[in-house]
Structure formats: C-alpha cells, structure tokens
Amino acid sequence: MFGKLRARWRFLTWLLLAAWFIIYPAAAQVQVTVRISPPTTDQFPQVTLFVAVVDSNGRYIPGLPPSSFSVLEDESPLSDVTINEMQVGTRQVYVINTTSGLRLRDAHGRTRFDLIRQALLDWWQLPTAILYGIDDLSLVTAEGALVTHSKSTADLASTLDHLTPTFEDNISGYDLLLRSLDFTTDPTPIPGMPTHLIFITSLLLTPRDLPIANIITRANDTGTVLYPVLVGPPEVIEQPEAEPLRQLAEATGGQLLLFDLSQGLNHLADQILAQRTQYQLTYTSCAATSGTHQVQIRVTGDELDALSNSQNFEVDVRPPEVTFILPPDEIVRQTDDPTLTLADIPPTSQIIRLLITFPDKHPRAITSSQFIVDGAVLAQPTETPFDLFEWDLSGYLETETHTIQVIVEDSLGLEGLSIAHSVEIKVLTPPRGLAALKPALGSILAAFAVIIAGVVLAVVLISMGRQRLASTGIPSQAPNRTKSPLKRAGLRRRTDDLVAEAYLIPIDAHGAEMEAVPLTGTDFILGSDPSLTPYPLDDPSVDAMHARLTRQAAGGYLLRDQGSVAGTWVNYELVPIEGRKLRHGDLVHIGREAFRFRLPTPPPPPEVRIRPTNDAQPSTPTNQESAT
C-alpha cells in the first residue's frame, strides 16, 4: 500500500514540475556567454573595455540596458558605468590545413578542398561580408600566409580561387594553428574589435605532445575565439581525435563544427558577422595602488545571469605632487593711519596659489585640500577651487615667522603634501601721540632755524652796506627782491636726485600719454591686486598678479608674465616664459592696458659708419685736386 502511495506522490511531483515549466517557461534562464577585451587605461582612472554578449548559438544579443552590466574590479563591485553599442568590425583569420586529409574526393570527383573553397567563396560573397574596410582579414594555409590584414573579402576570394595546394604533410595541423595565432597578436585597427580564428581541417592524428595548453593560453591572451571546422563524415566528430579540438573551442568561447555540404559555412558567417557590434563599457577605476589589477563584467536581467572572463591590466598610480606658486617670503603690514586697529592694518589677506601635478601621468580630480599654518588647519574647502586659498592676516598682530603647508586629496583617496614654506609677517604700527608729531616738529624747527639765520645774515649785510655807503658818500639803494639764480639751480639739483631709474607711461585709448609711473627698487608687480602693487590696474583683462618687472644687475629691466589669462605683450609680441628684456621706447600691453617703457636718459641713436675695405686702392688725384 505504501508503495502505491509513494508511486502516486512521485507521479504528482513530476506532473507539478512539468506544469511549472509549461506555465512559466521564462523561469529557465537563457544560456549566454560574456567575453571582454583587454582594458584600455590611457585615460586612467577611466577604464574602457569592450563586451561581447552572445547566446548559446554564438549570436550577439543587442539592446541590453546599462543596468544589466556591473563591474567587478579586484572582486569589488563598482558603479558609475557607461555603456554604448558601437560597430567595431571583426578580425577574421582563416586557417586551412591543406594537407593530405583535404585531398580525398567524393563520388563526383570533388576534393574536400574544392568543397571548402566553394563554401568560403559563398561566405565572402554575402552582402554583409563584402562591406569594405569594416573587417581585418587574413588567409593562412599549410603553404604559408597568403593574405594578411586585408580590408576586402575580394582579396581572399581571388587568392583562394587561384590556389593549387600540394597536399603535403610537412607540418602538423596543431603547429599550423599555433603559428596562425601570430596574426592575432598585432593591434586591431579599431579598439575592441573581436578576433575569430576559423580552423578548417580534416581529422588530425593525436601527436605525442599536444600543444593544446599553449594554444589556449595564446588565444585567451589575445581574446581570440577558435572555431575548429572538421571536414569528413558525420561520425568523425565523435572520434577521440576530435576531443582536443573540442577543448580548444570550449576554452576560448568558440564551437567545434562539422562541415555540412548542404549548409556550407553561412551559419558560421552569420554568427561571426553579427559580432561586428560590441558593447563599449567605461567605468571609473578605484585602483589606488600600482601593479596588476583584475576586472570582470557581470550581465544580469530577465533570464540573464552570466560572468565574463577576467582580464588583467597594469597601471602606475602615485600620489599627486603639490607646490606653492611664487609663495611670499615676507609680508609687511603697515599703514600711516594711526586710527586703524591692528587687525585692519593692510594687507589683511594674502592669496596663496598651488600647482598640482601627477607624476604617474594620470590626471585626476582633486576632491579636497587643507591649508595648514604652524601645524593647524586654517582652511579645508570641499568644493572647487582646491588650488587657491585666501590667507586671513588680520589675526597676526606682531612680527613673527610662520610655516605654511598644503595637503590635497585626489579622487582615488591619495594624498599629496607640499614642502613647508616659511613666511615672515611684519606688523609695522604708525607712531601715536607725541611720538607721531616728532618727525613733523623736527622739520618745523629746522625751518625756523633757517629763517632766523637768514634774517640775522640779512641784517648784518644791510648794516655793513650802509656803513660802506656812508663812508663813500654814495646814497644807498633799495635792495633787490628777485630770488637768486643759484637757489633755483640748487633746488633743481635736489629734484633731479629723485628721478626714478625708468618709467612706465600709460597710454589711453586715443594714444595720448598720461602721468608716468616711476620704477624704483628691484621688483615691480603689475596687476589688479592692491595688496601686491602700489599702482593697481582696474581692468577685467588684468589678473591680480599679471606680470613682474625685475631690475637686473646690469641695469636693464626683465619683464615676465605670471601665468595671466590675457597674456603680456611687448611690441605686439607675446612675452615668452623666460621673459623679455625691455628697451627704451618699447610698447607694453598688460591685458588691454598699454604702456610706453622709457629710460630717464635715452640711449644715443645708432651711428652709421662706412669703412673702406682693406683691398681698396686709393684713387689717383685729379689735376684739380692736385692744384688744390
């Protein structure tokens, strides 16, 4: 009885399972294969690779949404994936093992080679196959490489149509296959182009040392899919000698096929040509260390769940390097206004600029930075710009030396630390109370002393003159009230002593010259920041620190641009990075502002001298010259 119940239970179980698969056919997942190309890291941390998704028949599956793809980098899932379908073409390498096995004839007297040749010619005449320039085509036989990297199937068809093989067994079929893989190591014309090797052969004798492992390794290194095509009776595919070919196909993502005269090779042609379109996948890598990294792609969705082969990529990753751009060695805070508080003495801030570079040649986004003064973080921006800080100086109320540093962090989490730089901040306060009047009182007392001495001297001279006139009987005359020419000359000499070493004369839009700007000292900044230059330029085309004039030891002036947007120009020529030495009369443009550079004493004009050559003979004087 229990046996009957157990049998009925089994019957019901199988019935329910059958009903489940009939009612819910979608529950069974579709068998798919996912293959990826070697990654491209030229734009690291952006990594690009191509993904081929094919069904159990080897046909490309189009139209998958980006949500179907996920990236596993070093076994960690990543987001931020971009997917595009694009046509990349295919690389097709046809290898025909023209040995004695293809010399056998059928009942109509046709050799197996003749049948294969006709099948390939039919393939290469398909409308989808004759498109020029899409595919990379090569043809190899036991006689050697006949066509390499051609863009047209017509080249292959013409060559194969005129081929008369010798059918000699000079080379093993597996050795021929291994040599043919050399054509798959060359870079493809288009990145992501899949490579297919079609190996047409009769049944191969199993050699003592099979190079199967070497063939599989080389094929997988280049992403080559192998399609062995056996030529012979139907039972040949079940022979033990066919097993190595089946292993090659399965290990590389291909198929072992039996050549069918009635169908030819058109089915394989459709399968390969459909893979001209691939999925281009781009993602942002999280690889933060130098060395080898691994990537895989998982494809999921309705009835889909497949994991690709793994591909390795090498990358050099190093932290960013950060340096200060023209950091100040000294900042002087001073004013003549005694009413200002110490916090308001200018300058109250200082702009600090950074130069961030990547020694690994992989520029990345900077996500944060820290400005550190004397070991304490004063600023930590979380949004751009990360390479510019405004240093608040209002809290420094006495002269001290401070140390500044900067830390930046890139998108991979790598940190770069600048070298510590020392800056001396001088705070010069104006005198207050009676001390503020002391310089003025000294000048006033000196002036009074001069006036009193002059009055005394005048009285003495007048008295002496009257006595002299009285002794001679000549009446005295009224004193001359005109100023002495010697005093005027002396005053002119004192004014000349204040003449600057050179001048920049502004020129307005009409070409008229305005009041000259004297150049004194060794450095003169041209820009719009009042804290950097005593003559700020109010024009949007002028940067805060636009250009720098440096007086050289020999007395000349060197003009250098400081990385401005609008540039610095001399006589309508852009100033090079190393700078340009100015000459008297040069026209200088700082953005849209124009200046004329002049020296206090213009150089003498060049002289033109004519010298006789050494071989010139003196001319014979004429009679008139002799008479003279």
Side-chain angles (χ1 to χ4, degrees), residues 414-437:
L414 300 178
E415 292 185 348
L417 177 65
S418 71
I419 298 175
H421 180 76
S422 298
V423 181
E424 182 182 13
I425 300 180
K426 293 183 177 180
V427 182
L428 306 180
T429 58
R432 301 174 186 271
L434 294 177
L437 299 176

Side-chain angles (χ1 to χ4, degrees), residues 538-562:
D538 186 13
D539 190 281
S541 66
V542 180
D543 287 5
M545 182 186 288
H546 195 104
R548 184 190 294 266
L549 261 175
T550 303
R551 180 170 60 80
Q552 298 179 314
Y557 277 84
L558 181 68
L559 178 63
R560 290 178 295 180
D561 187 79
Q562 301 299 304

